[in-house]
mmCIF file of all heavy atoms in Angstrom:
data_model
loop_
_atom_site.group_PDB
_atom_site.id
_atom_site.type_symbol
_atom_site.label_atom_id
_atom_site.label_comp_id
_atom_site.label_asym_id
_atom_site.label_seq_id
_atom_site.Cartn_x
_atom_site.Cartn_y
_atom_site.Cartn_z
ATOM 1 N N PHE A 72 -6.622 8.846 17.430
ATOM 2 C CA PHE A 72 -7.242 9.373 18.650
ATOM 3 C C PHE A 72 -8.570 10.058 18.363
ATOM 4 O O PHE A 72 -8.758 10.677 17.334
ATOM 5 C CB PHE A 72 -6.304 10.400 19.314
ATOM 6 C CG PHE A 72 -5.027 9.804 19.806
ATOM 7 C CD1 PHE A 72 -3.912 9.745 18.981
ATOM 8 C CD2 PHE A 72 -4.943 9.271 21.080
ATOM 9 C CE1 PHE A 72 -2.730 9.178 19.425
ATOM 10 C CE2 PHE A 72 -3.759 8.704 21.536
ATOM 11 C CZ PHE A 72 -2.654 8.658 20.700
ATOM 12 N N HIS A 73 -9.488 9.946 19.351
ATOM 13 C CA HIS A 73 -10.707 10.759 19.347
ATOM 14 C C HIS A 73 -10.393 12.136 19.914
ATOM 15 O O HIS A 73 -10.929 13.140 19.465
ATOM 16 C CB HIS A 73 -11.805 10.123 20.208
ATOM 17 C CG HIS A 73 -12.361 8.865 19.641
ATOM 18 N ND1 HIS A 73 -13.058 8.814 18.461
ATOM 19 C CD2 HIS A 73 -12.305 7.583 20.093
ATOM 20 C CE1 HIS A 73 -13.423 7.568 18.214
ATOM 21 N NE2 HIS A 73 -12.976 6.804 19.186
ATOM 22 N N LYS A 74 -9.519 12.159 20.939
ATOM 23 C CA LYS A 74 -9.195 13.404 21.616
ATOM 24 C C LYS A 74 -7.800 13.297 22.228
ATOM 25 O O LYS A 74 -7.411 12.238 22.718
ATOM 26 C CB LYS A 74 -10.224 13.679 22.717
ATOM 27 C CG LYS A 74 -10.091 15.010 23.392
ATOM 28 C CD LYS A 74 -11.242 15.222 24.385
ATOM 29 C CE LYS A 74 -11.086 16.558 25.074
ATOM 30 N NZ LYS A 74 -12.123 16.754 26.074
ATOM 31 N N VAL A 75 -7.077 14.414 22.184
ATOM 32 C CA VAL A 75 -5.739 14.513 22.760
ATOM 33 C C VAL A 75 -5.698 15.788 23.590
ATOM 34 O O VAL A 75 -6.082 16.849 23.105
ATOM 35 C CB VAL A 75 -4.673 14.597 21.635
ATOM 36 C CG1 VAL A 75 -3.307 14.916 22.207
ATOM 37 C CG2 VAL A 75 -4.630 13.318 20.830
ATOM 38 N N ARG A 76 -5.249 15.673 24.828
ATOM 39 C CA ARG A 76 -5.117 16.872 25.662
ATOM 40 C C ARG A 76 -3.789 16.805 26.408
ATOM 41 O O ARG A 76 -3.512 15.841 27.110
ATOM 42 C CB ARG A 76 -6.261 16.998 26.647
ATOM 43 C CG ARG A 76 -6.247 18.310 27.413
ATOM 44 C CD ARG A 76 -7.555 18.600 28.117
ATOM 45 N NE ARG A 76 -7.980 17.544 28.995
ATOM 46 C CZ ARG A 76 -7.757 17.528 30.313
ATOM 47 N NH1 ARG A 76 -7.108 18.501 30.889
ATOM 48 N NH2 ARG A 76 -8.195 16.519 31.039
ATOM 49 N N PHE A 77 -2.972 17.809 26.213
ATOM 50 C CA PHE A 77 -1.712 17.958 26.926
ATOM 51 C C PHE A 77 -1.822 19.146 27.858
ATOM 52 O O PHE A 77 -2.360 20.188 27.483
ATOM 53 C CB PHE A 77 -0.551 18.229 25.960
ATOM 54 C CG PHE A 77 -0.067 17.033 25.214
ATOM 55 C CD1 PHE A 77 -0.641 16.678 24.004
ATOM 56 C CD2 PHE A 77 0.961 16.258 25.718
ATOM 57 C CE1 PHE A 77 -0.198 15.579 23.304
ATOM 58 C CE2 PHE A 77 1.423 15.150 25.024
ATOM 59 C CZ PHE A 77 0.842 14.814 23.810
ATOM 60 N N GLU A 78 -1.300 18.985 29.065
ATOM 61 C CA GLU A 78 -1.186 20.094 30.009
ATOM 62 C C GLU A 78 0.295 20.289 30.270
ATOM 63 O O GLU A 78 0.988 19.330 30.620
ATOM 64 C CB GLU A 78 -1.843 19.753 31.336
ATOM 65 C CG GLU A 78 -3.317 19.495 31.288
ATOM 66 C CD GLU A 78 -3.802 19.002 32.648
ATOM 67 O OE1 GLU A 78 -3.675 19.768 33.632
ATOM 68 O OE2 GLU A 78 -4.260 17.863 32.713
ATOM 69 N N ILE A 79 0.781 21.487 30.096
ATOM 70 C CA ILE A 79 2.165 21.769 30.455
ATOM 71 C C ILE A 79 2.205 21.982 31.962
ATOM 72 O O ILE A 79 1.559 22.878 32.490
ATOM 73 C CB ILE A 79 2.714 22.977 29.686
ATOM 74 C CG1 ILE A 79 2.783 22.634 28.197
ATOM 75 C CG2 ILE A 79 4.085 23.378 30.235
ATOM 76 C CD1 ILE A 79 3.292 23.739 27.296
ATOM 77 N N VAL A 80 2.947 21.120 32.628
ATOM 78 C CA VAL A 80 3.050 21.154 34.088
ATOM 79 C C VAL A 80 4.160 22.104 34.524
ATOM 80 O O VAL A 80 3.991 22.875 35.462
ATOM 81 C CB VAL A 80 3.308 19.726 34.636
ATOM 82 C CG1 VAL A 80 3.482 19.735 36.142
ATOM 83 C CG2 VAL A 80 2.198 18.781 34.208
ATOM 84 N N ASN A 81 5.299 22.026 33.857
ATOM 85 C CA ASN A 81 6.435 22.907 34.112
ATOM 86 C C ASN A 81 7.074 23.250 32.778
ATOM 87 O O ASN A 81 7.110 22.415 31.871
ATOM 88 C CB ASN A 81 7.481 22.236 35.003
ATOM 89 C CG ASN A 81 6.990 22.033 36.410
ATOM 90 O OD1 ASN A 81 6.683 22.988 37.115
ATOM 91 N ND2 ASN A 81 6.912 20.776 36.827
ATOM 92 N N CYS A 82 7.586 24.449 32.673
ATOM 93 C CA CYS A 82 8.231 24.872 31.442
ATOM 94 C C CYS A 82 9.480 25.662 31.810
ATOM 95 O O CYS A 82 9.416 26.581 32.634
ATOM 96 C CB CYS A 82 7.271 25.729 30.620
ATOM 97 S SG CYS A 82 7.800 25.975 28.931
ATOM 98 N N TYR A 83 10.596 25.259 31.220
ATOM 99 C CA TYR A 83 11.883 25.872 31.520
ATOM 100 C C TYR A 83 12.546 26.311 30.227
ATOM 101 O O TYR A 83 12.562 25.563 29.257
ATOM 102 C CB TYR A 83 12.806 24.871 32.224
ATOM 103 C CG TYR A 83 12.168 24.206 33.415
ATOM 104 C CD1 TYR A 83 11.559 22.958 33.287
ATOM 105 C CD2 TYR A 83 12.175 24.824 34.662
ATOM 106 C CE1 TYR A 83 10.973 22.345 34.376
ATOM 107 C CE2 TYR A 83 11.581 24.214 35.758
ATOM 108 C CZ TYR A 83 10.987 22.963 35.608
ATOM 109 O OH TYR A 83 10.398 22.368 36.683
#
Side-chain angles (χ1 to χ4, degrees):
F72 295 90
H73 291 295
K74 186 175 179 183
V75 171
R76 187 165 55 97
F77 284 88
E78 297 173 62
I79 294 179
V80 177
N81 291 298
C82 194
Y83 309 96

